[in-house]
Amino acid sequence: MLRNRLLTSIVLIPVVLGSVYLGGWWLFAIMGTGIILCGYEYFTLLKVADYQPERTLGIVLVIALLLDALLGWNAERVILIVLIVLPALWELRRREHGRFIESWALTALGVLYIGVLGAHLFVLRGLDDRGALLGITLMATWATDTAAFFAGTGLGRHPFYPEISPKKTWEGFIGGVLGAALAFGVLTSIFGINPLLAFLGGIGIGLAGTLGDLVESLLKRHVGVKDSGSLLAGHGGVLDRLDSMLFTVTFAYYFFRLVSSY
């Protein structure tokens, strides 16, 4: 399994960083597609558990939010209004309405979880000309996962939320946060940000990434599956790979906006 994880990472990391550097439709083709697949996996997981979200509508609105962020339409409010109104209209197709609120809420949750958080990847890319800030954020996210894996494997003794993710340990959690702080702190300092703020931002990246991982673990545990999919060898589904990133790019966008005012 570790061999497959390494091979997948070796192939994907240069492709991802190349798309970050090029930006625009290149970024959408690689990372946008990944986020859309996350949306597909989210709605499919709920279907497996016999929930009835509006999958097609949810995925269309996720795509709309990503395009809005990429192209600068500033249409977020319109998209969210559609999210509220259309499920109610679509419900009129059905004869039984006992699960309407459940379907409505889970559709909205998927669009907010995947679409709104995922859109931050594109607005973060827009903060500088070459995508350096997004690239640093992604590398710090990967550093979190890698450091957590090796610290947990080598030193892990004390369970970390075993009812959510039995294999995670406090040692792995601490190692992941330290890995993020080091990677983000060093790389961000190179771009002139105060080192103290940079390392604090790295801690934030580590915490955000861990939260993203736990949220997806909660989702999978609730519906009773181990992985969100099987597309990526050694990594499970796309959501298994990008769950942390959805939270770290969101945190990083507001972090960089904040520190740029100092």
Side-chain angles (χ1 to χ4, degrees):
M1 181 177 177
L2 178 59
R3 178 175 176 271
N4 288 338
R5 288 175 66 96
L6 289 173
L7 288 175
T8 302
S9 297
I10 289 170
V11 171
L12 288 181
I13 286 176
V15 173
V16 169
L17 291 179
S19 73
V20 169
Y21 177 78
L22 294 171
W25 290 107
W26 290 100
L27 183 62
F28 189 87
I30 302 300
M31 297 302 292
T33 299
I35 294 169
I36 293 166
L37 288 172
C38 286
Y40 177 82
E41 290 180 353
Y42 165 86
F43 287 108
T44 301
L45 286 176
L46 294 178
K47 293 280 189 179
V48 168
D50 198 34
Y51 292 110
Q52 298 176 356
E54 298 288 357
R55 179 166 64 184
T56 301
L57 173 62
I59 293 173
V60 167
L61 291 179
V62 166
I63 294 171
L65 284 166
L66 300 183
L67 290 174
D68 176 72
L70 174 68
L71 300 174
W73 290 340
N74 295 318
E76 302 96 330
R77 292 184 182 181
V78 174
I79 295 169
L80 294 178
I81 289 171
V82 171
L83 172 62
I84 299 301
V85 173
L86 266 190
L89 293 176
W90 284 24
E91 184 66 21
L92 299 178
R93 301 171 304 155
R94 297 187 175 127
R95 293 185 177 182
E96 298 294 332
H97 307 291
R99 303 185 70 176
F100 165 62
I101 292 179
E102 174 188 278
S103 172
W104 194 21
L106 290 174
T107 302
L109 175 62
V111 174
L112 296 173
Y113 172 33
I114 307 296
V116 173
L117 295 185
H120 283 82
L121 183 140
F122 296 98
V123 292
L124 176 57
R125 172 60 179 83
L127 291 183
D128 66 284
D129 293 336
R130 297 298 182 183
L133 300 182
L134 174 57
I136 288 171
T137 301
L138 294 179
M139 286 188 280
T141 303
W142 299 331
T144 306
D145 292 340
T146 302
F149 176 80
F150 285 107
T153 301
L155 304 172
R157 299 292 184 273
H158 302 88
F160 179 74
Y161 287 109
E163 68 277 9
I164 299 175
S165 188
K167 293 184 178 181
K168 288 183 172 55
T169 63
W170 277 100
E171 291 82 358
F173 163 67
I174 294 170
V177 172
L178 291 176
L182 181 62
F184 191 83
V186 170
L187 293 173
T188 306
S189 296
I190 294 173
F191 285 84
I193 292 177
N194 180 289
L196 176 59
L197 288 176
F199 280 96
L200 288 175
I203 292 173
I205 290 289
L207 295 175
T210 302
L211 177 61
D213 188 59
L214 289 175
V215 166
E216 199 233 358
S217 293
L218 276 168
L219 172 63
K220 292 188 295 184
R221 182 162 290 273
H222 183 73
V223 301
V225 300
K226 181 178 182 294
D227 295 319
S228 67
S230 58
L231 184 61
L232 300 178
H235 292 279
V238 180
L239 185 56
D240 293 320
R241 185 68 274 171
L242 300 186
D243 54 357
S244 297
M245 184 211 73
L246 293 172
F247 284 74
T248 58
V249 295
T250 302
F251 170 84
Y253 173 73
Y254 295 104
F255 170 80
F256 286 122
R257 288 287 302 273
L258 177 64
V259 299
S260 66
S261 64
Y262 284 89

